[in-house]
Amino acid sequence: MRILLVEDDRSIASPLVDGLRAAGYTVEHVTHGAEALSVAAAAVTATATGATAADLVLLDLGLPDMDGRDVFRHLRTARPHMPIIMLTARGDEFDRVLGLELGADDYVTKPFSLRELIARIRAVSRRAGATPAGETRAEHSETPGRQTIGTLTIDRRTRRINVGDDEIHLTAKEFDLLSYLASEPGTVRTRIEILEHVWDAHWYGPTKTVDAHVASIRKKLGTGAWIEAVRGVGFRLEPPS
């Protein structure tokens, strides 16, 4: 698995690169937002030609040349399905929620342990369909099959979403959330259940990040009628009437 690390503090980056490589990852390190965008642009070309591009990005928000959130937006546009984990010294709830509402797949506050970061990388990779370092494909498999609900089609093998003939581009987290709701159409899923299945069984962050992701999915599907909010409980997915 190839990781792009965007971190300007070399005292953090150097041991992190060494630790990730020792854990079996291939790591490319850049220190500026512009470099990250250049690598992402090259990755788009590499993907189109069949070459190997980064599978996941570790993105520091405190970069010297650009706001990390702007870098995130550009990366998400260039590679919509590539998982992005935000790294930042900002630890208050507002910044965590903001990062997740932007569509980050996870958010790690400095200081953190290498073990914790690798655990988060593995969890995000599994949800995104990649094979984490140290695992074989036999140890990691996605739910096979193609599901159709009304005009909505979910292909879990290719992680593609279509409404009618239109392909809908979701982030990795949005895909997992929609796929989870679609696993039992009409069933109400509580916010806690969604967080435990889509984020982490030991999630301790705010539940309103679920609402932010649902709002984004509704917008991309073209109507809010696909996902109904059940007041005080959670959400369910059903074809619009």
Side-chain angles (χ1 to χ4, degrees):
M1 180 177 183
R2 298 174 63 88
I3 294 176
L4 173 62
L5 172 63
V6 189
E7 169 62 69
D8 67 307
D9 189 336
R10 294 190 182 276
S11 67
I12 294 175
S14 294
L16 186 53
V17 169
D18 291 341
L20 289 172
R21 286 175 176 167
Y25 296 97
T26 299
V27 184
E28 180 172 359
H29 171 225
V30 298
T31 59
H32 289 67
E35 292 177 286
L37 299 183
S38 177
V39 170
V44 172
T45 304
T47 303
T49 58
T52 303
D55 300 302
L56 180 144
V57 175
L58 299 176
L59 174 64
D60 178 33
L61 292 186
L63 299 172
D65 62 331
M66 298 176 63
D67 188 316
R69 289 167 295 186
D70 292 332
V71 176
F72 173 87
R73 292 186 184 97
H74 287 295
L75 289 174
R76 183 61 83 206
T77 299
R79 299 280 306 283
H81 303 296
M82 180 174 61
I84 301 175
I85 299 177
M86 289 186 173
L87 309 177
T88 180
R90 304 166 187 170
D92 62 53
E93 180 177 314
F94 174 79
D95 284 314
R96 291 197 303 272
V97 173
L98 179 60
L100 293 169
E101 287 181 349
L102 284 173
D105 296 277
D106 205 344
Y107 192 108
V108 183
T109 303
K110 302 172 186 176
F112 52 82
S113 69
L114 179 63
R115 180 178 297 180
E116 175 192 1
L117 180 61
I118 289 176
R120 289 174 180 266
I121 289 172
R122 286 179 177 271
V124 167
S125 298
R126 291 188 186 98
R127 292 193 293 265
T131 303
E135 296 185 7
T136 65
R137 180 56 66 181
E139 293 171 323
H140 168 68
S141 60
E142 292 183 50
T143 303
R146 182 182 177 93
Q147 181 182 11
T148 300
I149 305 170
T151 58
L152 176 69
T153 300
I154 302 173
D155 193 330
R156 293 179 175 85
R157 297 163 299 179
T158 61
R159 296 182 65 84
R160 289 184 174 175
I161 302 289
N162 285 78
V163 175
D165 295 327
D166 298 324
E167 183 171 356
I168 310 301
H169 298 288
L170 303 181
T171 67
K173 192 72 67 183
E174 290 167 352
F175 179 93
D176 292 334
L177 198 164
L178 181 63
S179 180
Y180 177 61
L181 292 176
S183 63
E184 292 189 41
T187 298
V188 179
R189 301 291 194 180
T190 69
R191 289 172 175 80
I192 297 299
E193 288 176 328
I194 293 171
L195 285 169
E196 289 180 346
H197 283 81
V198 179
W199 272 261
D200 191 295
H202 303 289
W203 174 264
Y204 297 109
T207 60
K208 59 186 175 182
T209 190
V210 173
D211 298 69
H213 280 74
V214 167
S216 178
I217 294 170
R218 284 170 166 166
K219 182 177 180 181
K220 292 180 180 181
L221 293 179
T223 174
W226 276 106
I227 302 177
E228 178 185 358
V230 180
R231 187 178 179 87
V233 183
F235 299 94
R236 66 173 159 229
L237 183 143
E238 288 183 318
S241 57

